[in-house]
Every structure is written in C-alpha cells, then in structure tokens.
Amino acid sequence: MASEVTRFARPPATQRIGVLLLPGFSLLTQASCVEPLLIANQLSGCSLYQVSTLSLDAEPVRSAAQLACIADHALDDAPALLDTLLVIAPSPLPYPLPARLLEWLRQHHARTLGGLDGGGEVLARCGLLEGYRAALPWPRVSAVSQGYPTVVITQTLFEIDRNRMSCAGGTAALDMMLTLIARDAGAELAARVSEHFACERIRLADEPQHVPLRSRLGHAPQSLVEAVTLMEANIEEPLSTLELAEHLGVSRRQLERLFKKYLQAVPSRYYLDLRLKEARKRLRESDQAIGEIALAVGFSSGAHFSTAYRNHFGLTPREERLVV
C-alpha cells in the first residue's frame, strides 16, 4: 500500500538540496523537481531530503504563469553547505543573467550542480558544464551547441554525468528525481513515489525528447521529410528504399544522397534505427510478448529481431526487460 512506510536498516544520510528559482521558471518543472523528494520523505518516514528554495533577492519570484513564489533564502543568505544545487530557469532565457549570479554559481561549493529547463543553459554560461553531457530542451540544442562547443548537448530526457545533472524540464524533472531517489534510497522507494504520482513507470535517462519531425530535420528538403514520415507510418511493414523513392518520385540514388547529407546514414540503416527504437519503447512500456513486438516492428523472425536488437543496443530484448 502507498501509505506504508519504507523501512531502512540504516536510514541514508539527509541530502541538503537547494533549488534556485529564476524569474519566469516553470511551475511544472519546479513541482516535478521538489515534490518527489517531499513524498520520498513521507513514504520512507525519514528525512531523506532537506529542500530549500533560493532566489536572487528577498523579493517573491514570479513564474511563467505570473504566480509569485516566496523563496526560503536569497543568494546573500543561502546555505553555504549544500549537497546539491539545482537551477530552474525559463527556456529560452528572456533576459541577461546578473553578473553576481554567475559569480555566485561559480563560487558555490555544492557537491552536485544541476540545471533544469533553462537552468542547464545558465550553467553552460557559467562555464560549469565544460566536458559534461547535458540535456537541454530540444528547441535550444542547436544554439547552445554552437555557443558552447565544449558541452556535450543531448536531446535525451535528462543526463546525470558525474557531479552534474540536467534535464529538459517539465515532467522530465520527475523522472530525473525518481532516478536520484532510486540511487539514494533504493528502487523500491522510487517505484512507490512514482506510484504516488500515478506514473506507470520511471522513464530512463537515455530516452529521447519528442522532437517534431520538421525541427529534427531542420532545413532538409521536403522530399526527405516525406521519406521519414513514410518510414514512421510504416513500421510494421517496412518499405524498401526503392519503394520509398518511387513513392516520392525521386531516384534511389537521390534519396540515398539526401539521407547521407542530412542524417549521416543510408535509408535502410535509418529505418532500422526507427524500428528498433519503437521496439525498445514497447519493451519498456508494455507487457506485450517479445515475439509480438518483433512482428509489430517488421521482423518476421524472433531470432533476427533479437540479433538486430543486441547489435544496436548492446543487449537482447529479454535483457532489456530485466533492466527496466
């Protein structure tokens, strides 16, 4: 039962978490970050997390929805010793960052720093993500990648890379915090916190953000966009490269050149990647039999599906289910 308290032979040490809210922050991101920690305390019967909110000054911080939040501390009286400092900011950042904020972040000695939503871009501007993987909201990936080439920008839901954390914001923050709870206090408690929020499962860090097709392909020719659209609509019965070209009224060689130029892959390889990603989604999110999933993503042979899956992801479909 969700009301039962998780028992620890030796309760983990309390983690001191600071959450810095910058004007225009997302209420959804803030709630997805903070509330899982508070529920973990409640369900465990322990003070696993001590959460305090921070702001630039003593004034209330207005969210994107223009709701005012009164933080526990301003920067000037923020706790000096934090285990984790998380920055939540709007994306894109609609204003220049105060110099004192950048300096304060560079000098803060929290063991772990994190950026949620536009907070990842704040850390990048401070030079605090150099050499780290970082997940940013997909509309900002291109601009931030160009501006900060030493940061490894991804379009995954979230990244936890050594002592840096980042996520795309929104409900991705919930998955990231549930992953932290699992690391700190065990998978059982994390699962129960997830159940509290009526989440079917905890999404993994490597899962991609849903990026609209046109945004993924940028300024690619319309024929390439249509080719990928056809692929996504025909997962169960894949079309050959020649069939795709005929549908689009281009030659097979023209289509292959477009894929190599804009997607760095031949059409058949890109198509296989789409099908296997759909298979991984079904393995993680459903109880559908592996054989049925194989058929649903265009494999007539279970053995062929298993081999292709292992070659692509480094583990078999059956092992994928064990990981989740």
Side-chain angles (χ1 to χ4, degrees):
M1 298 290 293
S3 60
E4 292 178 355
V5 174
T6 297
R7 303 295 180 185
F8 295 101
R10 178 179 298 174
T14 299
Q15 296 284 315
R16 294 157 298 181
I17 311 289
V19 180
L20 173 60
L21 302 174
L22 296 185
F25 72 93
S26 161
L27 288 169
L28 177 59
T29 300
Q30 186 259 356
S32 297
C33 169
V34 172
E35 293 199 19
L37 304 177
L38 303 181
I39 296 301
N41 288 346
Q42 177 183 318
L43 295 180
S44 68
C46 302
S47 181
L48 299 174
Y49 301 100
Q50 180 182 343
V51 182
S52 56
T53 52
L54 314 176
S55 61
L56 293 174
D57 49 41
E59 297 299 315
V61 188
R62 289 200 173 273
S63 70
Q66 292 302 300
L67 294 177
C69 175
I70 300 175
D72 299 313
H73 304 277
L75 292 188
D76 293 339
D77 69 336
L81 298 175
L82 290 172
D83 295 295
T84 300
L85 173 63
L86 304 174
V87 181
I88 303 180
S91 181
L93 292 168
Y95 45 75
L97 296 173
R100 69 187 185 92
L101 169 64
L102 301 180
E103 188 61 27
W104 185 85
L105 286 171
R106 292 188 187 106
Q107 293 181 352
H108 203 279
H109 298 296
R111 290 189 300 180
T112 299
L113 291 174
L116 291 74
D117 210 345
E121 190 168 345
V122 173
L123 296 184
R125 290 191 187 185
C126 294
L128 295 169
L129 289 179
E130 293 185 3
Y132 288 91
R133 294 191 316 277
L136 270 68
W138 66 262
R140 295 296 296 159
V141 166
S142 178
V144 177
S145 296
Q146 292 175 20
Y148 305 95
T150 58
V151 183
V152 183
I153 306 295
T154 74
Q155 294 185 28
T156 55
L157 292 174
F158 63 92
E159 293 283 354
I160 300 177
D161 183 4
R162 292 160 288 168
N163 61 341
R164 295 291 186 271
M165 304 162 48
S166 53
C167 79
T171 57
L174 174 60
D175 297 289
M176 184 170 75
M177 304 317 287
L178 289 170
T179 299
L180 280 185
I181 292 167
R183 186 186 70 182
D184 295 339
E188 180 184 351
L189 178 60
R192 293 182 56 236
V193 175
S194 178
E195 289 172 1
H196 177 90
F197 292 104
C199 293
E200 184 178 352
R201 69 183 185 92
I202 302 172
R203 294 179 295 176
L204 303 181
D206 63 1
E207 297 188 40
Q209 301 173 45
H210 179 73
V211 182
L213 180 60
R214 170 48 75 182
S215 297
R216 273 186 275 148
L217 298 183
H219 301 292
Q222 183 61 28
S223 54
L224 179 61
V225 175
E226 292 175 0
V228 174
T229 301
L230 277 171
M231 288 178 172
E232 293 179 341
N234 292 274
I235 295 291
E236 187 170 350
E237 297 182 5
L239 302 170
S240 68
T241 301
L242 181 58
E243 288 172 323
L244 285 168
E246 289 175 346
H247 273 292
L248 299 170
V250 300
S251 71
R252 174 173 178 159
R253 183 166 295 181
Q254 282 177 298
L255 188 60
E256 289 175 341
R257 281 201 296 264
L258 286 174
F259 270 83
K260 287 179 181 178
K261 179 177 180 179
Y262 291 96
L263 298 172
Q264 294 76 53
V266 297
S268 58
R269 184 66 188 177
Y270 186 86
Y271 209 166
L272 178 62
D273 180 66
L274 280 179
R275 292 159 56 204
L276 291 173
K277 284 180 177 177
E278 174 62 21
R280 181 169 65 173
K281 182 174 183 290
R282 293 182 182 225
L283 286 165
R284 290 177 172 181
E285 297 183 2
S286 76
D287 295 325
Q288 192 175 11
I290 291 175
E292 292 177 0
I293 292 175
L295 292 173
V297 297
F299 288 88
S300 57
S301 161
H304 182 203
F305 170 59
S306 183
T307 299
Y309 198 95
R310 184 181 65 248
N311 290 341
H312 196 77
F313 294 118
L315 71 173
T316 67
R318 193 173 302 279
E319 290 168 340
E320 181 77 74
R321 278 246 161 101
L322 294 175
V323 169
V324 179

